[in-house]
């Protein structure tokens, strides 16, 4: 049996070819001999100060706000930050607002904690704050306050959308009015193809209104397992009190901090150039394969995903079965649906797959979709 060639549009990861393996090995060789004490004992509860400093520098350069490192805690990926959110905010059986389609890892955590998920629709500019206002009013009328509003405001996973400034201001205003916390998951910060980041809500809101989650996974690689959260007191201590894990690896943090001390922005530029090229290839291939059809896709200006909308009656199970036969991996719309509905979408990730594989992968995927369309549908 010959192995099927794989086209992996499933992995939400940066380009492996830009992973700086040698530079990290050099950084390790430079830094480790001087840090016997950091490695022979348990890490600082808040994580290695040098890497928290880099997180602070990163935020300052993007948003012009200096966050003291006393308000930054390293985590084992931002995923751990999400788990701490669920624990610190005691989300069990209480309403929790999410974008109607959101990161599957977040859904897993929130569902495991039995949160009562309240979806707010998305459009091409992210969360619809008019619909959010209605939801908050509705909840308030029945005496329920959400434990938080969780949002991936920049380069949303899965939709690739970014919430503009006016909507961020409105979201902050609504959270303040309803006395709830915004959890701003900024995992895709700096996977950004235009020059300026839209201001983070952490900067726009009064201190304590926003809990910010950051990550090094999407600008470097998820294998380093390094993320962080930012929050002032008392939120910070509440989060920290749940971080019962012996600390975040100093080995990983030392090496990454040493490398990023000099190379943070040059690495980001290089990684983004590679990912942007793949996005351009993907968008051209989609245009070529689906032109004139009743199929749309988002055109992100950052992040790692485009979100494809299929005609409602498309046989999604058939698309998937056919795709599997052809070695195509992608994420189904259902994986991201906060209510676990089988919605007519699919998500393509473009960071991991080789640029040269994209046109053929999209051609094969289009074949699967066209074979699964409802009778008489599909052409505009
Ligand atoms: C929105 C979002 N948040 C958090 C994560 C978790 O990332 P990590 O734990 O690697 O930092 C991901 C990963 O895909 C994500 O898309």
């Amino acid at each position: 049996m010959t192995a099927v060639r794989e086209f992996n549009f499933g992995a939400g990861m940066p380009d492996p070819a830009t992973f700086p393996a040698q530079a990290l090995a050099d950084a390790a060789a430079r830094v480790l001999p001087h840090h016997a004490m950091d490695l022979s004992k348990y890490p600082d509860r808040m994580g290695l100060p040098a890497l928290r400093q880099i997180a602070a520098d990163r935020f300052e350069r993007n948003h012009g706000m200096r966050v003291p490192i006393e308000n930054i805690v390293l985590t084992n990926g931002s995923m751990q930050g999400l788990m701490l959110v669920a624990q610190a905010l005691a989300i069990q059986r209480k309403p929790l607002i999410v974008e109607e389609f959101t990161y599957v890892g977040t859904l897993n955590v929130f569902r495991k904690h039995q949160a009562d998920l309240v979806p707010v629709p998305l459009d091409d500019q992210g969360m619809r704050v008019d619909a959010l206002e209605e939801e908050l009013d509705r909840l308030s009328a029945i005496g329920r306050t959400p434990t938080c509003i969780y949002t991936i405001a920049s380069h949303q996973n899965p939709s690739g959308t970014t919430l503009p400034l006016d909507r961020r201001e409105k979201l902050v205003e609504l959270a303040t009015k309803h006395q709830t916390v915004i959890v701003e998951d900024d995992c895709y910060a700096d996977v950004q193809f235009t020059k300026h980041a839209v201001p983070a809500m952490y900067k726009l809101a009064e201190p304590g209104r926003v809990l910010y989650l950051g990550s090094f996974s999407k600008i470097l690689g998820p294998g380093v397992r390094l993320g962080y959260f930012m929050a002032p007191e008392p939120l910070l201590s509440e989060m920290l009190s749940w971080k019962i894990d012996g600390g975040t690896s100093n080995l990983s943090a030392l090496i990454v901090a040493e490398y990023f001390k000099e190379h943070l922005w040059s690495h980001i530029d290089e990684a983004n150039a590679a990912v942007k090229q793949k996005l351009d290839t993907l968008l051209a291939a989609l245009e070529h394969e689906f032109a004139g059809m009743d199929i749309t896709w988002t055109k992100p200006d950052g992040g790692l995903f485009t979100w494809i909308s299929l005609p409602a009656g498309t046989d999604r199970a058939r698309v998937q079965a056919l795709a599997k036969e052809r070695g195509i991996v992608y994420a189904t719309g259902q994986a991201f649906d906060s209510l676990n509905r089988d919605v007519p979408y699919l998500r393509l990730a473009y960071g991991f797959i080789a640029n040269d594989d994209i046109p053929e992968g999209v051609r094969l995927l289009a074949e699967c979709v066209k074979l699964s369309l409802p009778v008489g549908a599909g052409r505009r």
Side-chain angles (χ1 to χ4, degrees), residues 12 75-82 102-106 150 152 155-157 185-188 213-218 221-223 225-228 305 347:
T75 52
N76 299 309
S78 53
M79 200 67 239
Q80 187 184 31
L82 283 162
T102 192
Y103 171 49
V104 56
T106 304
Y150 170 79
I152 311 162
H155 317 306
Q156 208 256 359
N157 183 5
D185 183 342
D186 209 7
C187 194
Y188 298 95
L213 300 178
S215 178
F216 291 108
S217 290
K218 310 298 172 171
R225 295 320 293 135
L226 289 169
Y228 47 96
F305 313 108
R347 188 199 73 175

